[in-house]
Amino acid sequence: KLNVGVDTVQHGVEGLTYLLTESSKLMISEIDFQDSIHVLGFSDELNKLLLQLYMDNRKEIRSILGELTPKLPSYHSLEWRLDVQLASRSLRQQIKPAVTIKLHLNQNEDQTAQVLQTDPSTLLHLIQQLEQALGEMKTNHCRRIVRNMK
């Protein structure tokens, strides 16, 4: 009925979807949305229709996007124990430390527990990597990314 190719229609729908989802993610104002679509070269009537479509549906789009986010487990509590093997039948003087960690997680109102065991040197390396990751989150680049994800 439109006398255009399937690819043209598909790209148009994908472009419109992208425009509405990104605008809803960022909760941009009417003026910013108008500025964004003005550069596309559409007629004033079409720009008004797109603005009305955005204003009518942005809250619904935002709620749908919120439902699509993955539900990751969250931290509840942590138990740990340090075990040290001092000797065995074959070796009378040895020191073999091991750290056992029981991590309690909440996921969809269900509690699960994961038991992990490692040696202290690996645990220290893990702590250093986590502290480095937390330091990265304080950079301006990461802050911009996190702000745009909301």
Side-chain angles (χ1 to χ4, degrees), residues 2-18:
L2 297 176
N3 295 327
V4 293
V6 174
D7 289 340
T8 306
V9 174
Q10 181 178 355
H11 292 307
V13 170
E14 288 172 356
L16 183 60
T17 303
Y18 181 77

Side-chain angles (χ1 to χ4, degrees), residues 24-27 62 65 144-150:
S24 298
K25 275 184 200 176
L26 300 174
M27 286 296 285
R62 201 163 163 82
L65 290 174
R144 261 185 275 140
I145 291 171
V146 169
R147 186 174 51 238
N148 288 332
M149 287 174 58
K150 294 179 182 179

Side-chain angles (χ1 to χ4, degrees), residues 47-100:
N47 286 345
K48 288 178 184 176
L49 286 173
L50 286 173
L51 176 63
Q52 189 63 39
L53 180 68
Y54 168 66
M55 296 306 293
D56 291 343
N57 295 308
R58 70 177 171 182
K59 290 182 182 178
E60 185 178 352
I61 293 170
R62 201 163 163 82
S63 68
I64 290 170
L65 290 174
E67 292 172 5
L68 294 176
T69 58
K71 304 294 183 206
L72 299 174
S74 62
Y75 170 81
H76 178 68
S77 65
L78 177 86
E79 300 175 36
W80 63 275
R81 182 178 73 216
L82 176 65
D83 296 321
V84 180
Q85 183 177 355
L86 298 174
S88 65
R89 289 183 183 175
S90 59
L91 293 172
R92 297 201 180 228
Q93 293 184 355
Q94 70 173 358
I95 298 177
K96 188 176 174 184
V99 178
T100 305

Side-chain angles (χ1 to χ4, degrees), residues 19 23 26-40 47-48 50-52 54-55 58:
L19 174 69
S23 300
L26 300 174
M27 286 296 285
I28 63 175
S29 65
E30 292 180 38
I31 296 169
D32 291 336
F33 187 81
Q34 286 176 337
D35 290 342
S36 299
I37 60 174
H38 181 70
V39 297
L40 297 175
N47 286 345
K48 288 178 184 176
L50 286 173
L51 176 63
Q52 189 63 39
Y54 168 66
M55 296 306 293
R58 70 177 171 182

